[in-house]
RNA sequence: GCCGGUGUGGCGGAAUUGGUAGACGCAUCUGACUCAAAAUCAGACGCCAAAAGCGUGGGGGUUCGAGUCCCUCCACCGGCACCA
């Protein structure tokens, strides 16, 4: 055994061993319980960043632990390889996105291997390859047949200078990112997936996902946004024809307080009213032109304009004026609302502004209503008043009664509304999965026949920023209609990349199948036992994946309702931010490695200066690692210097996985120091002769104490890895154990035997986190097997046994002393021992002992007054 | 505004079921080794001059006992946001 710890040598050797033995190749085995450990696959942006390292280390630790627990583990990896950054890089380098993407994949794959992750590369999935995305296309056609996919017009951002559609992230302050031109809204035909059909099931099931963090479940539930209410029809006459204007409300109990109705600018009734009203027409136009951003809408002033139209109140028959309001959303409910100024804050503001009547119809605990200013209680629930037959009814009674009355007149019904909208998947972009449709002058839109799949995306085009290059690529666009055989045009829109990531986890289970999207192996591996990834995917990716799985289930392709049993959302990786703000010009950010922090003699930071010039820089606190703040740490440089094990150890030790992790060079150095100490401890032990047989009779009390600590540690680490997923506390416990080993006098054979057991178990316990160094140390400890093939060790109950136990003694709840008693001492004995203690007696003094509380194995509290 | 979360030493964090607050690590200080530095090893390290006292964002409560439970207020972070 080498005397010094040299990570570069041992890491390469361990990785070679796993590679040569095919250690991580997962094989279906019905006799063994499986464990599918899934990490979110990366976008191949160029190089791994620390966020990836953290994500995949968490997954690898869980995978290796479950493997040692005897599970048949699958831990796959792939590439979310379509998307906009590749197009941008292509423009910058004048190279096709495909080349850039595949180069990045090669680099990042090498980095993942260098980190020692136990991945099954035979199942690698790359979404930009035809053998993957052909199944996007195939399933899209199945969805089209079922009506789950359908066409409708949608609004896109249009850059008038580049003549191109912009993605939301390419619109900055309402202007195109490249041209700076003001973005316009355009209506174009797009394809949608009817996720709203599954809204109820997606909501119901997310409540059942107990292995998911509460906040993710809440975020999904809010996003789906179920509300129960009543759709109410207000009859009116248009060109002599009877019609009804529908509104949706959750407060039907306030129906008698309606003094106006308001429709969205996009509502057909607004368009009709504007026909002969130039002023209204320009107002409607203004509303439509306004910002697309919903956040801006929320803070906008409420504006409206009266139309010449009126509708009839469905219960009272009263005439109610119709307004166009900029605060009414076309996309939610019916695009129209009933105005009840007395009990809705927005309607109140609107009514005050335009001097509309305010009519109180709800009484809340007899409070006195005034129309001077809005009071929070106006919006609360209460009892109906000034509502005719409905007076005195509580909210739910009133709603039921009114809904029944409306229903009998054909003017309303109970209804559930959703905030969730259908998923628009068309993107007017090149680097994505082609939508398999053909436009024929005679036959219209014709699906590409299954036998002609995949529609292959030409991978040698270079976008120039002005529109989708597929449009100019005749070999792609020009085709024959599959139905009539005449010349036709191929659809050039591609799919949202969220489509690619909505089912990759199923494909891992059937990656080798080139005749079907998925096969029966999905039934063995899925659902994923553990999914790990960033919180930024809490809503869209996870919701789309759940939806996609349910669609595939309804198509009979999988027997699975939910794809991920347990979800772990890992925290961000952060680092210090330093900058200088010149008198003129832009703020300059300095990487923390270029900065030296000065401290006072107590270690309190007093300032920071740039190493290069010794002059001060300002501290910007701590923030997520990013290019813009120049506070990233390159994993590769770190691995080159300290090795993968140190990177993995620091990542797992510095914080529990769900919390954000602050990078610290000194902390990482500390992790390296620990591995050196571990190496040295084994080296010292092995050099002194190594193993000796464990003979209980020869052990000193100190030996027995150490052995108890060894097995207590094992018990804690098992719980921390398996149940709590708090790797930081597991590592801390092993560190404590090694501190105890270092202090232990190990000359006698019995003592050496205990130390041998301690080191052996420490190596096993650490092996999921630092697999390379433990691979080497396992052999150094005299084993001919590989540590990766070892089972998780068992706690020896014999070792935990102890004769006496130390209890703390409190007087009136304050810690005062300690006593040692026999482990089986009765309560009376413990009580007597505590009262006999000299320190206890001093604190009790002249007081009378009122009560003595004994908590077995823990403490004694003497209550005296 | 609504929903969710978090507040513990100089720092990251620990305390799992109401029972020793600050494990483990970082930083800092002292010492050993060294001509010296680094590395390494040993020790100190919540506040306060203090054995006493105080101390887990502030205030109040329940309890023999509260970081943990209840009420209330404050601050910060995240999500949704004119959703009728």
């Amino acid at each position: 055994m080498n005397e010094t710890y040299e990570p570069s040598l041992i890491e390469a050797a361990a990785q070679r061993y796993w590679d040569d033995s095919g250690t991580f190749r997962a094989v279906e085995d019905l006799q063994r319980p499986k464990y599918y450990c899934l990490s979110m696959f990366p976008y191949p942006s160029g190089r791994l960043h620390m966020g990836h390292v953290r994500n995949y280390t968490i997954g690898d630790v869980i995978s290796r632990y479950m493997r040692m627990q005897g599970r048949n583990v699958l831990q796959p990896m792939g590439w979310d390889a379509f998307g906009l950054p590749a197009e941008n890089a292509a423009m910058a380098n004048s190279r096709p996105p495909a080349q850039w993407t595949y180069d990045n994949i090669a680099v990042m794959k090498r980095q993942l291997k260098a980190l020692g992750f136990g991945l099954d590369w035979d199942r690698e999935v790359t979404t930009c390859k035809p053998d993957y995305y052909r199944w996007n296309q195939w399933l899209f056609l199945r969805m089209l047949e079922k009506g789950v996919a359908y066409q409708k017009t949608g609004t896109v951002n249009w850059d008038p200078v580049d003549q191109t559609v912009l993605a939301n992230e390419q619109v900055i302050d309402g202007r195109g990112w490249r041209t700076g031109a003001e973005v316009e809204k355009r209506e174009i035909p797009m394809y949608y997936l009817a996720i709203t059909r599954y809204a109820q099931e997606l909501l119901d099931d997310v409540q059942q996902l107990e292995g998911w963090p509460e906040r993710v479940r809440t975020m999904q539930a809010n996003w789906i946004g179920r509300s129960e209410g009543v759709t109410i029809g207000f009859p009116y006459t248009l060109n002599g024809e009877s019609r009804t204007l529908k509104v949706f409300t959750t407060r039907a109990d306030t129906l008698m307080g309606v003094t106006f109705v308001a429709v969205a600018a996009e509502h057909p009734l607004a368009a009709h009213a504007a026909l002969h009203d130039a002023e209204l027409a320009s107002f409607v136009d203004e509303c439509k032109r306004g910002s697309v951003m919903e956040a801006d809408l929320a803070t906008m002033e409420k504006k409206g304009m009266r139309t010449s139209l009126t509708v009839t109140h469905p219960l009272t028959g009263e005439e109610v004026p119709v307004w166009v309001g900029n605060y009414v959303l076309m996309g939610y409910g019916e695009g129209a609302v009933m105005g009840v100024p007395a009990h809705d804050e927005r309607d109140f503001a609107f009514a005050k502004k335009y001097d509309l009547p305010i009519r109180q119809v709800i009484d809340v605990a007899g409070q006195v209503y005034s129309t001077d200013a809005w009071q929070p209680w106006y919006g609360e629930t209460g009892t109906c008043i000034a509502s005719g037959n409905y007076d005195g009814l509580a909210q739910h009674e009133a709603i039921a009664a009114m809904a029944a009355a409306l229903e009998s007149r054909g003017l309303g019904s109970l209804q559930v509304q959703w905030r969730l909208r259908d998923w628009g998947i068309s993107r007017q972009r090149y680097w994505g999965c082609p939508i398999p449709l053909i436009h024929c002058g005679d036959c219209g839109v014709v699906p590409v026949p299954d036998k002609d799949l995949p529609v292959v995306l030409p991978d040698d085009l270079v976008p120039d920023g002005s529109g989708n290059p597929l449009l100019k690529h005749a070999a792609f666009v020009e085709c024959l209609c599959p139905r009539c055989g005449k010349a036709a045009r191929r659809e050039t829109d591609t799919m949202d990349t969220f489509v690619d990531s909505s089912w990759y986890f199923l494909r891992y289970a059937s990656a080798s199948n080139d005749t079907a999207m998925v096969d029966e192996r999905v039934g063995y591996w899925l659902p994923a036992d553990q999914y790990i990834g960033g919180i930024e995917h809490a809503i869209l990716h996870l919701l789309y994946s759940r939806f996609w799985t349910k669609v595939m289930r309804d198509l009979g392709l999988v027997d699975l309702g939910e794809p991920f049993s347990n979800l772990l959302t890992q925290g961000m990786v952060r680092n210090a931010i330093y900058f200088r703000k010149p008198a003129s010009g832009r703020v300059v950010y300095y990487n923390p490695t270029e900065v030296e922090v000065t401290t006072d003699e107590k270690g309190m930071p007093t300032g920071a200066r740039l190493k290069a010039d010794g002059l001060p820089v300002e501290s910007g606190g701590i923030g997520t690692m990013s290019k813009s703040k120049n506070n990233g740490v390159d994993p590769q440089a770190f691995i080159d210097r300290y090795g993968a094990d140190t990177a993995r150890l620091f990542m797992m030790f510095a914080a529990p996985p769900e919390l954000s992790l602050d990078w610290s060079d000194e902390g990482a150095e500390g992790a390296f120091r620990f591995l050196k100490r571990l190496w040295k401890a084994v080296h010292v032990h092995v050099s002194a002769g190594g193993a000796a047989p464990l003979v209980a009779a020869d052990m000193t009390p100190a030996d027995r104490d150490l052995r108890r600590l060894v097995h207590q540690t094992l018990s804690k680490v098992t719980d921390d890895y398996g149940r709590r997923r708090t790797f930081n506390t597991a590592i801390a416990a092993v560190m404590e154990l090694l501190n105890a080993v270092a202090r232990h006098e190990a000359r006698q054979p019995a003592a050496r035997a205990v130390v041998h057991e301690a080191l052996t178990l420490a190596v096993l316990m650490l092996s999921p986190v630092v697999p390379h160094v433990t691979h080497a140390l396992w052999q150094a400890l005299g084993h001919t097997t590989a540590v990766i093939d070892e089972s998780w060790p068992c706690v020896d109950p014999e070792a935990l046994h102890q004769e006496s136990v130390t209890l703390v003694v409190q007087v009136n709840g304050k810690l005062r002393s300690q006593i040692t008693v026999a482990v089986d001492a009765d309560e009376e004995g413990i009580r007597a021992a505590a009262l006999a203690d000299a320190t206890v007696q001093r604190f009790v003094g002249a007081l009378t002992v009122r009560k003595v509380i004994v908590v077995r194995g823990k403490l004694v509290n003497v209550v005296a007054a």
Side-chain angles (χ1 to χ4, degrees):
Chain A
M1 175 182 190
N2 207 327
E3 194 180 339
T4 53
Y5 169 50
E6 284 179 62
S8 58
L9 295 179
I10 62 169
E11 290 186 0
Q15 286 163 19
R16 208 178 313 116
Y17 174 84
W18 302 325
D19 261 356
D20 293 349
S21 325
T23 303
F24 300 114
R25 201 173 298 136
V27 179
E28 293 76 17
D29 179 354
L30 294 170
Q31 306 308 308
R32 289 175 63 205
K34 60 92 186 181
Y35 193 87
Y36 184 3
C37 186
L38 177 71
S39 288
M40 290 184 186
F41 65 167
Y43 178 78
S45 55
R47 298 163 74 78
L48 290 184
H49 54 68
M50 282 295 179
H52 293 129
V53 177
R54 189 177 194 196
N55 193 156
Y56 304 142
T57 302
I58 294 167
D60 200 43
V61 172
I62 295 173
S63 294
R64 287 171 182 268
Y65 171 74
M66 293 314 294
R67 178 190 175 100
M68 292 177 84
Q69 288 287 3
R71 304 288 281 268
N72 187 23
V73 173
L74 167 60
Q75 191 184 202
M77 189 48 71
W79 310 97
D80 188 14
F82 272 137
L84 202 49
E87 291 193 35
N88 296 338
M91 276 187 263
N93 310 318
S94 302
R95 291 174 66 212
Q99 283 184 23
W100 180 84
T101 302
Y102 288 122
D103 286 353
N104 290 346
I105 288 174
V107 170
M108 291 169 77
K109 189 169 176 177
R110 202 158 55 233
Q111 292 187 304
L112 290 174
K113 288 188 171 180
L115 280 156
F117 298 135
L119 299 165
D120 180 358
W121 286 105
D122 289 355
R123 295 168 186 261
E124 183 176 0
V125 154
T126 308
T127 60
C128 66
K129 288 188 175 172
D131 63 5
Y132 182 79
Y133 68 67
R134 66 176 298 183
W135 301 113
N136 286 356
Q137 297 173 344
W138 182 82
L139 198 77
F140 174 79
L141 294 175
R142 301 291 83 73
M143 289 187 184
L144 212 56
E145 289 162 3
K146 289 267 179 191
V148 174
Y150 63 92
Q151 194 201 60
K152 133 185 136 171
T153 57
T155 314
V156 295
N157 308 303
W158 177 258
D159 185 319
V161 174
D162 262 353
Q163 292 284 300
T164 191
V165 174
L166 298 176
N168 282 333
E169 57 265 36
Q170 293 175 320
V171 181
I172 297 153
D173 295 331
R175 291 172 180 278
W177 67 308
R178 272 160 50 86
T179 61
E182 204 165 317
V183 169
E184 296 169 9
K185 286 193 229 171
R186 279 217 174 175
E187 300 284 322
I188 60 166
M190 301 219 283
Y191 286 88
Y192 286 83
L193 304 185
I195 191 170
T196 52
R197 281 198 199 175
Y198 288 83
Q200 187 69 58
E201 195 190 348
L202 288 165
L203 181 64
D204 290 343
D205 289 358
V206 84
Q207 327 274 11
Q208 311 295 317
L209 291 172
E210 276 163 26
W212 284 36
E214 189 58 45
R215 70 169 170 153
V216 175
R217 291 157 65 181
T218 311
M219 280 160 77
Q220 292 226 341
N222 290 344
W223 187 263
I224 295 166
R226 182 182 204 272
S227 44
E228 286 179 17
V230 181
T231 298
I232 300 173
F234 286 73
Y236 64 101
T237 313
L238 190 68
N239 303 331
E241 204 183 312
S242 290
R243 301 180 175 219
T244 55
L245 172 64
K246 284 185 179 172
V247 303
F248 174 75
T249 180
T250 54
R251 288 300 303 273
D253 55 318
T254 65
L255 181 54
M256 295 311 206
V258 169
T259 57
F260 66 97
V261 296
V263 300
E266 295 86 353
H267 196 281
L269 208 54
H272 177 81
L275 276 178
H276 307 291
D277 186 340
E279 209 188 336
L280 185 64
S282 87
F283 176 71
V284 165
D285 219 42
E286 184 195 321
C287 291
K288 283 188 188 169
R289 237 183 303 114
S291 168
V292 210
M293 303 291 290
E294 297 202 332
D296 298 338
L297 290 175
T299 51
M300 233 156 71
E301 195 197 350
K302 286 174 189 36
K303 279 196 206 163
M305 189 170 279
R306 187 171 182 154
T307 70
S308 55
L309 304 168
T310 58
V311 292
T312 310
H313 192 287
L315 296 184
T316 64
E318 206 179 334
E319 289 291 291
V320 178
V322 176
W323 286 66
V324 176
N326 68 344
Y327 70 100
V328 183
L329 301 173
M330 192 57 212
Y332 183 77
E334 302 292 339
V337 297
M338 63 182 205
V340 185
H343 302 290
D344 182 281
E345 192 170 0
R346 292 156 305 180
D347 296 346
F348 186 90
F350 195 78
K352 291 289 274 189
K353 182 168 173 143
Y354 295 108
D355 213 15
L356 295 161
I358 298 172
R359 194 183 299 155
Q360 184 196 1
V361 290
I362 300 293
D363 175 71
V364 179
Q367 296 183 79
V368 180
Y369 198 100
S370 152
T371 58
D372 293 345
W374 174 262
Q375 303 297 324
W377 69 265
Y378 295 177
E380 285 170 20
T381 58
T383 317
C384 290
I385 53 170
S387 298
N389 298 336
Y390 304 99
D391 281 358
L393 294 184
Q395 185 190 31
H396 59 278
E397 298 163 345
I399 292 176
M402 291 192 197
L406 292 166
E407 188 125 36
S408 70
R409 297 168 202 210
L411 289 175
S413 58
L414 289 168
Q415 177 136 13
V416 174
Q417 278 291 343
W418 304 93
R419 211 196 71 100
L420 183 70
R421 314 286 158 84
D422 278 348
W423 175 15
I425 59 156
S426 296
R427 296 290 180 274
Q428 297 70 39
R429 310 236 66 93
Y430 158 52
W431 191 236
C433 168
I435 295 177
L437 294 171
I438 287 167
H439 300 272
C440 170
D442 291 343
C443 309
V445 180
V446 182
V448 172
D450 286 358
K451 67 172 172 56
D452 294 341
L453 294 182
V455 175
V456 175
L457 184 76
D459 67 359
D460 54 353
L461 307 186
V462 180
D464 60 8
S466 64
N468 185 343
L470 289 175
L471 283 163
K472 302 168 215 159
H473 193 67
F476 180 79
V477 174
E478 290 169 11
C479 61
L480 299 177
C481 172
R483 201 162 288 165
C484 68
K486 286 190 198 145
R489 286 179 62 81
R490 193 178 293 285
E491 173 66 56
T492 54
D493 280 2
T494 54
M495 294 183 196
D496 180 3
T497 55
F498 274 118
V499 169
D500 308 324
S501 56
S502 290
W503 69 281
Y504 73 104
F505 45 87
L506 301 173
R507 187 63 184 170
Y508 283 140
S510 321
S512 60
N513 194 326
D514 55 9
T515 59
M517 185 177 188
V518 290
D519 56 40
E520 71 288 348
R521 289 174 288 175
V522 167
Y524 176 72
W525 293 113
L526 275 285
D529 298 273
Q530 183 68 63
Y531 196 22
I532 305 149
I535 187 69
E536 67 275 18
H537 292 115
I539 299 177
L540 293 182
H541 163 61
L542 291 170
L543 193 66
Y544 291 152
S545 297
R546 297 179 55 226
F547 159 66
W548 199 275
T549 302
K550 290 175 194 300
V551 170
M552 286 184 68
R553 176 201 61 198
D554 290 347
L555 287 166
L557 295 165
V558 295
D559 184 18
L560 185 72
E562 286 288 337
F564 318 120
S565 307
N566 294 287
L567 176 70
L568 193 157
T569 50
Q570 105 260 10
M572 300 286 194
V573 181
R574 312 193 303 169
N575 200 359
I577 299 169
Y578 297 105
F579 65 93
R580 274 182 191 159
K581 208 174 196 165
S584 62
R586 288 180 33 199
V587 177
V588 184
Y589 288 94
Y590 297 98
N591 193 277
T593 51
E594 306 170 69
V595 174
E596 188 177 29
V597 177
T598 53
T599 57
D600 65 14
E601 67 217 6
K602 284 187 170 178
M604 300 254 253
T606 51
R609 56 176 176 241
L610 196 63
K611 286 177 189 165
D613 59 16
L615 298 171
V617 292
E618 287 187 65
S619 167
I622 295 173
T624 307
M625 284 188 179
S626 72
K627 269 200 180 117
S628 62
K629 296 284 191 291
N630 188 17
N631 64 341
V633 176
D634 180 27
Q636 193 61 55
F638 185 86
I639 296 163
D640 291 346
R641 181 156 173 209
Y642 293 103
D645 280 338
T646 297
R648 296 170 59 119
L649 179 64
F650 176 69
M651 286 270 154
M652 301 309 282
F653 177 62
E658 311 248 34
L659 260 56
S660 64
L661 181 151
D662 295 345
W663 183 263
S664 148
D665 284 330
E666 293 81 10
E669 188 87 41
F672 185 57
R673 221 163 14 230
F674 171 72
L675 292 180
K676 284 194 284 187
R677 269 203 302 271
L678 173 69
W679 185 273
K680 197 174 145 192
V682 172
H683 183 258
V684 166
H685 171 70
V686 169
S687 311
L694 211 57
V695 182
D698 296 346
M699 281 187 221
T700 63
D703 293 338
R704 276 196 292 275
D705 284 347
L706 179 60
R707 186 145 196 270
R708 190 180 323 116
L709 180 64
V710 171
H711 286 269
Q712 279 167 350
T713 304
L714 174 58
S715 163
K716 176 180 172 50
V717 169
T718 305
D719 189 44
D720 284 354
Y721 278 161
R723 180 180 64 88
R724 297 211 304 154
R725 299 277 148 85
T726 51
F727 311 105
N728 55 326
T729 53
I731 294 164
V734 180
M735 285 176 169
E736 266 182 275
L737 174 61
L738 272 143
N739 290 343
V741 169
R743 280 194 302 269
H744 196 68
E745 189 76 46
R747 293 224 185 81
Q748 300 304 315
R752 287 231 325 283
V754 173
V755 166
H756 187 80
E757 187 190 20
L759 292 172
T760 303
L761 289 180
V763 164
L764 286 171
M765 285 189 273
L766 289 172
S767 68
V769 179
V770 285
H772 308 91
V773 66
T774 48
H775 178 83
L777 291 176
W778 187 251
Q779 288 167 351
L781 283 166
H783 298 94
T784 50
T785 55
V787 72
I788 184 66
D789 294 321
E790 287 300 309
S791 293
W792 191 253
C794 293
V795 174
D796 179 0
E798 194 69 22
L800 295 178
H801 178 77
Q802 50 187 333
E803 265 104 52
S804 62
V805 62
T806 301
L807 305 179
V808 297
V809 185
Q810 298 177 330
V811 177
N812 287 332
K814 290 204 166 78
L815 176 66
R816 298 302 184 190
S817 187
Q818 295 195 337
I819 54 171
T820 301
V821 298
V823 76
D824 54 358
D826 61 6
E827 208 167 305
E828 196 44 50
I830 293 172
R831 184 189 151 99
L835 290 173
D837 183 84
T839 317
V840 171
Q841 283 183 0
R842 183 158 63 81
F843 279 95
V844 170
L847 302 174
T848 313
V849 174
R850 302 277 182 209
K851 206 197 278 192
V852 178
I853 288 151
V854 176
V855 182
R856 300 285 305 252
K858 286 234 164 100
L859 60 60
V860 181
N861 188 12
V862 177
V863 185

